[in-house]
Amino acid sequence: MLLTDLAEQLDTAAPRITGELIDQAGTCLLDALACAYGGRDLPWARQARAIAGSGDDATIWATGGRRTGLADAVFANSVACHALLHEDTHAESRVHPGTVVIPAALAIGERLRSPLPALLRAIVLGYEAIAQVSAAVLTEEFGVRGWRASSVFGPFGAAAAAAYLLGLSPVATAHAFGIAASSAAGLCQWAHDGTTEVFFQNAGASRAGVVAALLAQEGATGAASAVDGIFGLRQAFGGARDEARPPDVRLDRMAISQTFFKAYPSCALTQEPIDAAIVLAGQGIHPEQVIEATVYTSGVAARYPGCDNATALAAPISRQMSLQFAVAAALTDGAIRPDRYAGTLDPGLAKLAARISVAVDPAADAAFPARRDARVAVRLVDGRVVSAESREQGRASVPAKFRSYAEPMLGAGIDTVLRAVREPFSGTDSAEFAAHLR
């Protein structure tokens, strides 16, 4: 059964996780923390903190040291990680794993005083669990049905990370996965309506995965066939009734190595079109010169809920998801200004976005997800057609991003956090590390 195989393969892989993978997990940890500090004052982050109860189990990051119950801390920290839409992305699974795995792993690690290397190994395993379950369930019909990958597959990542730190056997971990499967949820209707439940979906998945692992530790059981069984996720969410591909955990192709970091606080599928539009702006293309424009991208980007949206841009989340708005803003400003996503919609940007269309580029479609290519072509008032392609990918500097978002709160303490992540074998444990996340 898929979940039994997955638990056994993760158990085998854990002691063989390389230093390179641990380093990448540290980068993912910094990226999640950067987003949490950057998003701490947004309404949904404040709302998540407002419903947290009393307790002393775990730290809510970026709050001056506030502590609460473990599940509430996981939920609040996950919302903060997701608040800006600036989080990491694993393109193949279409999941933002850092928003789900890292709050779960650090909360459990803090409770157990787990050494930082163990925390980072748990993060590697959590990212991998998400990718393996996604590979078995993600179909074309999955998206058509309106499911959201991050919150459907996220519970498995949180459960895997927590199970490793808790020292669960492969049998108990498989039970945790089975329990987590019943928490898989999350619709994409927010992309149509412009509402904010998107920011709470991954948090629910993170909390559910931790609870699943804790329940399994207490002896609770979950169906090992909860993914590939007759009433499992593969059929219920993906509409697939054929046999699932078995998990294949390989150290030379771990999901965490294929995770990328956003340069801009918007949907992952807008990142490359933004790059191309910035190139055009740098060539002196001004919005008033543009009669019309086309974003050429992958079919996944063109069809993802909220991405091909030229006119319904009143809500901030609608702008962050829209390919047309992203390109209009980048062409206008030569950059992405976060304030463009907030407040009243700029009329000039709205008019320009309405003149932009989205088309599937067969080459970009064939290359996805290994490459996330995009091209923007504009037709100008003088009759010329000018285009630009996205630049080399992977440009975002995570340490710089962390400094930018976290230094206002952490001050000189930011160097302590950076040093702990980059020197995980220095003896710092997860509780000591969490205490610095004030």
Side-chain angles (χ1 to χ4, degrees), residues 345-371:
L345 176 64
D346 181 277
L349 290 184
K351 290 178 181 178
L352 179 56
R355 302 199 298 274
I356 300 173
S357 59
V358 174
V360 175
D361 178 354
D365 198 35
F368 188 90
R371 289 186 58 83

Side-chain angles (χ1 to χ4, degrees), residues 295-324:
V295 181
Y296 294 94
T297 186
S298 67
V300 170
R303 292 187 294 270
Y304 195 84
C307 283
D308 186 0
N309 169 23
T311 56
L313 301 171
I317 187 63
S318 299
R319 297 175 216 168
Q320 287 178 291
M321 296 300 299
S322 168
L323 289 162
Q324 288 93 331

Side-chain angles (χ1 to χ4, degrees), residues 54-254:
S54 60
D56 193 39
D57 290 334
T59 302
I60 301 181
W61 315 329
T63 59
R66 180 181 171 187
R67 296 176 63 77
T68 187
L70 187 142
D72 284 348
V74 169
F75 188 86
N77 288 334
S78 179
V79 172
C81 288
H82 201 23
L84 286 170
L85 239 63
H86 206 170
E87 64 288 296
D88 67 10
T89 304
H90 181 249
E92 190 169 356
S93 65
R94 303 179 203 172
V95 168
H96 303 298
T99 66
V100 180
V101 173
I102 289 170
L106 188 46
I108 291 290
E110 184 179 3
R111 170 186 275 191
L112 300 176
R113 302 196 72 94
S114 304
L116 277 188
L119 172 72
L120 297 175
R121 290 189 188 96
I123 291 169
V124 173
L125 298 174
Y127 278 50
E128 189 63 24
I130 287 173
Q132 293 292 335
V133 174
S134 170
V137 177
L138 191 62
T139 63
E140 191 69 33
E141 190 168 344
F142 179 95
V144 171
R145 291 183 177 199
W147 298 115
R148 187 173 183 225
S150 285
S151 50
V152 169
F153 306 129
F156 296 95
Y164 173 74
L165 291 172
L166 290 166
L168 300 191
S169 69
V171 171
T173 298
H175 283 305
F177 288 155
I179 297 167
S182 287
S183 302
L187 304 172
C188 287
Q189 188 62 30
W190 52 266
H192 182 272
D193 290 9
T195 47
T196 62
E197 70 268 33
V198 57
F199 299 109
F200 307 114
Q201 289 175 333
N202 296 5
S206 186
R207 178 174 58 191
V210 167
V211 170
L214 291 170
L215 287 170
Q217 185 183 42
E218 294 298 319
T221 59
S225 56
V227 168
D228 50 344
I230 188 171
F231 300 117
L233 259 67
R234 181 169 165 78
Q235 189 280 128
F237 284 71
R241 292 172 176 81
D242 54 335
E243 188 172 341
R245 186 178 83 184
D248 183 21
V249 177
R250 291 171 34 190
L251 289 178
D252 63 341
R253 193 187 179 277
M254 297 294 274

